[in-house]
Amino acid sequence: MTPLEDLLRTLTPPLEYLATAPSRLARSALPFRALREKLERSVAQAVDARTLATLAEVRGLLDGLDGGPAPTLAAAESAATLALQRLLELVTDLKRAPEPVAPRPVPYRSAAGPVQAQIDALKTPVQFVKGVGPKRAEQLATLGLTTVDDLLFHLPFRYEDRREVRTISMLRAGEQATIEAEIHGVQERFAGGGRRRVLEATASDASGTLTLLWYHQLTYFRSRFREGQRVLLHGKVEVPKGAARSLRLRIVHPEIEILDGQDDADTGRIVPIYTKPAGIPIGAMRRLVHSAVEQHAVRAPSALPPEVAARRGVMDLAEALRTVHQPPPEADVEALNAGTSPAHKAIVYDELFYLQLGLALRKHNVVEEPGIAFPLAAPHAARLAATLPFAFTGAQRRVIAEIERDMAAPHPMHRLVQGDVGSGKTVVALHAAAIAIDAGYQAALMAPTELLAEQHCATMRRFGQPIGLRVALLTGSVQGKLRGRTERAIARGDIDLVVGTHALIQESVAFKRLGLGIIDEQHRFGVLQRQTLKRHGTNPDILLMTATPIPRTLALTLYGDLDVSAIDELPPGRRPIVTRVFNQRQRERVLELLAHELDQGRQAYVVYPLVSESEKIDLLDATRMARELAAGPLAKYRLGLMHGQMPADEKDDVMRRFRDGDHQVLVCTTVVEVGIDVPNATVMVIEHAEHFGLAQLHQLRGRVGRGEHRSLCFLLASYAQGDQARERLRVMEETNDGFRIAEKDLELRGPGEFLGTRQSGLPDFRAANLLRDGALLRDAQEDAAAWLAVDPGLVSPASLPLRAVLEARWAGRLELARIG
Ligand code: ADP
Ligand code: MG
């Protein structure tokens, strides 16, 4: 604690107390003596004039309050009140005062030689690092560390503050401590009345001895030590439990680092801790990275445009790498551990800048390709607005305008429309299709499943046929003569809008003139399918639609090469889905509520989670539950079962029967489709809701609330009193806003979990963390876009280093795509 912090800590509480009720004012309320002492120490250490002046004023006020002749009571009171107010202002001001040690600005030293040579040098295999032989190289490869570059950017996952290594005699029970000691007398013995084997050892230094104790992996730990070996120990110091068998303090399962005579540098400083391959001791790992840094950090390509580096105040990579791997003694350990130190920021910013530059470039390349400039004076599109039984919402109108602007441009559109379930994306897509069709082109809508394709087709026909659009369905189930006829009609141009599954992009399907490809739930489709759809037309416009709201930081990373629109408003009159969390014990009551709705003629979903990643358990549980419900609480009703292990056509069949009302209750796993529309389904029960992410719960919940009736969603969860799970689920009760829920979910679970690892498509960051670095990401995006605006092809001399690093990064780590 600095003297100033100390002063403020003493001064603030009584001031705040007095300020709430000046009438309590008594001279004795302030600890004047202590304050004066602390004040003088602060003055002695103050580094800037402003702080000094403020402190002088504080001193004056304290003098006025303490001592001096006693004035009349009223005068004293008002003077004191004023003085206190001023003091409080000053204290607030002081708290904002600059850090005592102003961070020294580190200049950005741009790469000296040709950047490409530096990049190539960093691709040197790890063997060429001092201390790495073939064996070590093999071990490092198990962590994917094969080049010097890999080692340099293998950042510590934690830092240990060993600036103060203590002696054993200084230790107190209850504290976390790091000590350097020798190991003696390692032996197994029986504890707990002879029932349990433990491993025990004595650690000693010149000042005393300490017991070390292991309960697990005894053989392993016993094999690690030699008599008299020097080690660094870290752990919580404890007093032995029970009768004082020994008066010595002890550490149970200490973290241990064996000192082998070369590690003297690892005490008395802030020590980086690395993930390491099995077989490399922690100290050796540190030395390897250390020599990589010593030998090669200078070659890290610091190629940011100097003005960008200056604007963001980042240091060059060489300096940043040296600092994160070998923090100076005065470094802020907390910031290092949080990954927010200036050095971390420099590395993260550098990484994000090239990510955004690559994304922006890719987008720019697409945008620059020749495409179709659709005329906007489109009669069908105009008629659509006039014949729809409702008016577009403000959000729909805004997104339509964004789409129109893209479509009118002579380059291909690449736009993603995000909108909650029921926000009306389909009619927006139809509007876009009408524009393309009016220009003499065809449009295609691709959905992830047959059922969704059928549903979209029905919607497109309902609203499209009245304005004269010819709509056809093309899925795997369209076969035989009908398929042949449909394909020929598409090829002749007799179909305006084809709705289908990926059957649409098969070889046998040839469009006469595809102008617009619409992809629903695009996260289920790979980039490849997007590309294939593009092959069916001469650079058609592409419109992607998703009901999964993605927070902005993620969207920037994931869809940096797309333009993103959000339909963030639901059509009027939608009633929010009433959501309630129930404890598992209230299950019977929940099923009664569900039965009540069924008795009113409504339908229901009962959803079971993938309790584990195993599809087998998933199957077992949903099946077992369907049986149990059919035998007991819901015996009166017609139940259907759907799970992930069913063949697609069986799933579609069950879903159709539910849609047609044959099944009153659909017991299912999460396979129940995104966007499926059964307006009569008004209840959803989600079992074991605590196993789901919030975004997924929201997605599931969107299956109800699609009709005229009020809808209910019951989340059954196991939780204890005051449990976090309950708090998390409360969000679902509080809001129906998908974007808010997504933000919350991202915050709670992190990007990988949020997106689900299998389809995340997130680049593999070396230093960046999207949750922590959202602000840096936005800065990087802004800077990258600004740079490309000036030099779109990255061809100016100033851009050449950027291009070199960009190509190395995208090829090596980001693996998103080749830059065109
Ligand atoms: P999404 O695809 O975004 O889930 P849909 O396009 O299927 O949503 O629309 C959901 C329902 O709302 C459909 O029945 C659709 O006809 C209707 N709808 C769409 N836009 C509006 C609007 N502006 N006003 C009223 N109803 C609308
Ligand atoms: Mg839709």
Side-chain angles (χ1 to χ4, degrees):
M1 205 180 342
T2 66
L4 183 59
E5 282 165 353
D6 193 19
L7 171 69
L8 293 177
R9 247 199 4 198
T10 318
L11 193 50
T12 313
L15 274 183
E16 282 171 352
Y17 173 71
L18 290 171
T20 57
S23 60
R24 291 181 191 131
L25 179 65
R27 284 182 180 185
S28 59
L30 289 177
F32 286 105
R33 258 209 17 220
L35 284 174
R36 277 179 207 285
E37 251 172 49
K38 291 173 185 190
L39 179 72
E40 294 319 321
R41 279 199 288 135
S42 301
V43 170
Q45 297 239 334
V47 286
D48 65 313
R50 200 180 106 219
T51 306
L52 264 181
T54 312
L55 287 172
E57 197 179 342
V58 170
R59 185 194 284 130
L61 288 167
L62 286 179
D63 285 347
L65 283 168
D66 181 34
T72 65
L73 200 59
E77 226 178 75
S78 72
T81 308
L82 276 177
L84 283 174
Q85 261 170 13
R86 180 66 191 138
L87 264 181
L88 200 56
E89 282 166 29
L90 289 173
V91 165
T92 315
D93 203 35
L94 279 172
K95 283 183 179 162
R96 273 192 249 110
E99 295 278 292
V101 185
R104 93 199 125 95
V106 181
Y108 191 88
R109 282 176 296 258
S110 293
V115 168
Q116 191 58 50
Q118 297 194 341
I119 292 170
D120 293 342
L122 291 187
K123 288 195 192 129
T124 309
V126 280
Q127 278 101 306
F128 292 90
V129 171
K130 207 175 105 218
V132 182
K135 176 152 169 264
R136 285 277 185 258
E138 221 171 86
Q139 291 167 321
L140 289 170
T142 62
L143 280 191
L145 304 172
T146 58
T147 65
V148 167
D149 189 61
D150 294 335
L151 268 191
L152 286 183
F153 286 90
H154 184 61
L155 305 190
F157 72 93
R158 185 165 71 79
Y159 294 84
E160 215 167 274
D161 192 349
R162 292 192 194 153
R163 285 174 293 195
E164 241 189 273
V165 174
R166 275 171 296 171
T167 58
I168 290 174
S169 65
M170 290 164 70
L171 298 183
R172 295 288 166 267
E175 67 185 358
Q176 291 280 340
T178 304
I179 51 166
E180 189 181 335
E182 269 179 25
I183 298 262
H184 297 284
V186 182
Q187 56 171 322
E188 282 184 36
R189 63 175 185 82
F190 286 93
R195 270 167 299 138
R196 184 162 195 193
R197 270 149 63 90
V198 298
L199 183 70
E200 202 178 69
T202 297
S204 62
D205 68 7
S207 77
T209 56
L210 181 76
T211 302
L212 307 178
L213 202 58
W214 292 265
Y215 294 115
H216 311 290
Q217 292 179 276
L218 308 190
T219 321
Y220 168 73
F221 283 111
R222 196 179 47 185
S223 71
R224 281 190 70 189
F225 306 114
R226 282 179 287 106
E227 180 71 18
Q229 196 162 33
R230 276 182 57 239
V231 294
L232 266 181
L233 297 165
H234 178 83
K236 187 169 174 204
V237 180
E238 296 177 354
V239 187
K241 292 197 191 76
R245 200 188 62 79
S246 139
L247 289 174
R248 282 199 218 150
L249 294 174
R250 68 182 194 183
I251 299 183
V252 177
H253 276 268
E255 278 179 44
I256 292 210
E257 190 174 330
I258 293 171
L259 300 175
D260 47 15
Q262 302 171 65
D263 293 83
D264 292 340
D266 286 343
T267 56
R269 64 184 185 101
I270 299 170
V271 178
I273 313 287
Y274 297 94
T275 15
K276 62 178 193 63
I280 302 189
I282 188 167
M285 183 70 188
R286 200 143 53 222
R287 283 195 302 280
L288 294 183
V289 179
H290 186 98
S291 50
V293 170
E294 292 287 302
Q295 279 176 274
H296 299 285
V298 285
R299 296 199 184 81
S302 297
L304 293 180
E307 59 269 39
V308 171
R311 177 161 66 243
R312 301 304 174 191
V314 296
M315 63 181 92
D316 56 80
L317 278 183
E319 180 70 23
L321 286 169
R322 273 189 216 107
T323 311
V324 293
H325 288 296
Q326 297 156 33
E330 73 276 10
D332 177 349
V333 183
E334 267 174 46
L336 285 169
N337 271 320
T340 54
S341 72
H344 279 97
K345 280 187 181 161
I347 295 169
V348 168
Y349 179 83
D350 188 80
E351 181 168 40
L352 294 176
F353 178 81
Y354 291 107
L355 170 72
Q356 290 300 332
L357 191 67
L359 288 170
L361 198 63
R362 199 160 78 177
K363 176 167 161 183
H364 188 82
N365 287 344
V366 172
V367 168
E368 286 307 295
E369 279 172 35
I372 309 157
F374 294 98
L376 289 184
H380 282 116
R383 217 153 353 118
L384 177 65
T387 56
L388 281 177
F390 45 75
F392 285 128
T393 62
Q396 282 172 317
R397 277 203 306 276
R398 196 189 64 236
V399 171
I400 285 174
E402 286 164 353
I403 291 172
E404 283 181 343
R405 206 178 51 219
D406 289 355
M407 290 187 76
H411 306 292
M413 165 167 75
H414 240 208
R415 182 169 290 277
L416 173 71
V417 175
Q418 295 190 57
D420 236 325
V421 170
S423 59
K425 294 183 292 295
T426 317
V427 281
V428 168
L430 180 58
H431 184 92
I435 293 173
I437 293 161
D438 276 330
Y441 288 88
Q442 291 166 297
L445 192 168
M446 188 158 73
T449 67
E450 299 220 340
L451 207 68
L452 277 176
E454 285 172 25
Q455 191 176 296
H456 279 315
C457 188
T459 309
M460 292 306 191
R461 282 188 170 135
R462 177 152 51 106
F463 297 126
Q465 278 170 348
I467 56 168
L469 300 186
R470 296 164 298 177
V471 183
L473 179 72
L474 190 69
T475 63
S477 324
V478 178
Q479 284 182 350
K481 282 194 181 140
L482 178 58
R483 184 175 190 96
R485 263 210 315 278
T486 308
E487 287 187 1
R488 282 193 300 279
I490 294 170
R492 276 198 310 269
D494 290 348
I495 299 293
D496 300 312
L497 171 60
V498 192
V499 183
T501 51
H502 49 267
L504 273 182
I505 51 175
Q506 278 161 10
E507 296 296 333
S508 61
V509 182
F511 288 85
K512 179 157 188 253
R513 243 185 139 202
L514 183 65
L516 172 68
I518 303 161
I519 303 179
D520 190 25
E521 285 316 319
Q522 69 92 32
H523 61 278
R524 303 239 202 137
F525 289 103
V527 175
L528 190 67
Q529 272 137 332
R530 268 195 250 165
Q531 298 298 346
T532 320
L533 190 58
K534 286 185 72 174
R535 272 216 313 273
H536 282 263
T538 47
N539 279 334
D541 279 9
I542 300 283
L543 184 65
L544 307 159
M545 304 195 293
T546 179
T548 315
I550 305 263
R552 199 169 124 73
T553 44
L554 277 190
L556 272 182
T557 314
L558 221 43
Y559 306 132
D561 57 340
L562 300 174
D563 293 300
V564 180
S565 296
I567 307 185
D568 48 10
E569 175 189 353
L570 291 182
R574 275 301 151 73
R575 278 195 278 181
I577 300 159
V578 177
T579 302
R580 288 289 168 265
V581 178
F582 288 93
N583 202 303
Q584 205 70 48
R585 290 191 301 274
Q586 297 163 291
R587 186 153 180 270
E588 225 171 280
R589 165 104 186 98
V590 168
L591 290 175
E592 274 168 28
L593 292 169
L594 179 143
H596 180 74
E597 288 285 307
L598 296 178
D599 291 338
Q600 314 287 308
R602 305 284 87 77
Q603 287 164 280
Y605 297 92
V606 181
V607 184
Y608 217 77
L610 276 162
V611 172
S612 78
E613 280 296 296
S614 155
E615 295 278 344
K616 281 219 180 83
I617 293 177
D618 161 32
L619 166 73
L620 207 135
D621 285 340
T623 312
R624 198 180 52 205
M625 189 170 70
R627 220 179 288 134
E628 183 207 305
L629 290 173
L634 301 180
K636 281 184 9 200
Y637 309 96
R638 300 183 302 277
L639 268 59
L641 167 68
M642 187 169 80
H643 57 70
Q645 298 244 302
M646 285 167 128
D649 52 343
E650 250 178 72
K651 270 193 277 189
D652 274 357
D653 187 51
V654 174
M655 205 53 233
R656 276 193 194 94
R657 292 171 64 167
F658 182 65
R659 181 191 63 194
D660 299 340
D662 297 346
H663 295 313
Q664 290 171 285
V665 181
L666 185 65
V667 180
C668 53
T669 59
T670 53
V671 294
V672 56
E673 307 300 347
V674 174
I676 205 73
D677 198 6
V678 182
N680 191 45
T682 57
V683 196
M684 172 168 285
V685 175
I686 302 181
E687 298 251 15
H688 296 293
E690 74 276 12
H691 287 284
F692 290 97
L694 295 180
Q696 200 184 4
L697 287 173
H698 181 67
Q699 283 281 317
L700 285 170
R701 175 170 69 175
R703 308 301 177 282
V704 295
R706 304 179 72 95
E708 58 193 303
H709 304 285
R710 175 203 61 161
S711 285
L712 303 165
C713 177
F714 300 127
L715 304 177
L716 274 168
S718 317
Y719 54 85
Q721 201 73 35
D723 200 332
Q724 275 221 314
R726 180 70 186 87
E727 281 313 302
R728 204 167 64 89
L729 292 174
R730 202 180 297 283
V731 177
M732 299 302 297
E733 294 180 321
E734 284 164 3
T735 181
N736 272 272
D737 178 344
F739 282 95
R740 253 195 67 199
I741 290 170
E743 291 282 354
K744 195 76 196 167
D745 198 32
L746 176 64
E747 190 185 304
L748 290 168
R749 295 197 303 159
E753 283 281 302
F754 176 85
L755 292 167
T757 37
R758 265 161 303 173
Q759 55 188 22
S760 82
L762 268 187
D764 190 5
F765 290 119
R766 303 204 279 194
N769 169 332
L770 290 181
L771 271 188
R772 183 190 63 203
D773 301 321
L776 289 175
L777 181 69
R778 283 186 284 274
D779 288 351
Q781 192 213 20
E782 216 173 87
D783 294 343
W787 189 263
L788 279 187
V790 177
D791 182 15
L794 290 187
V795 289
S796 75
S799 289
L800 293 184
L802 285 182
R803 178 174 269 279
V805 178
L806 186 67
E807 274 163 9
R809 292 280 173 87
W810 277 64
R813 305 291 308 189
L814 298 170
E815 281 174 13
L816 288 170
R818 216 183 62 78
I819 303 158

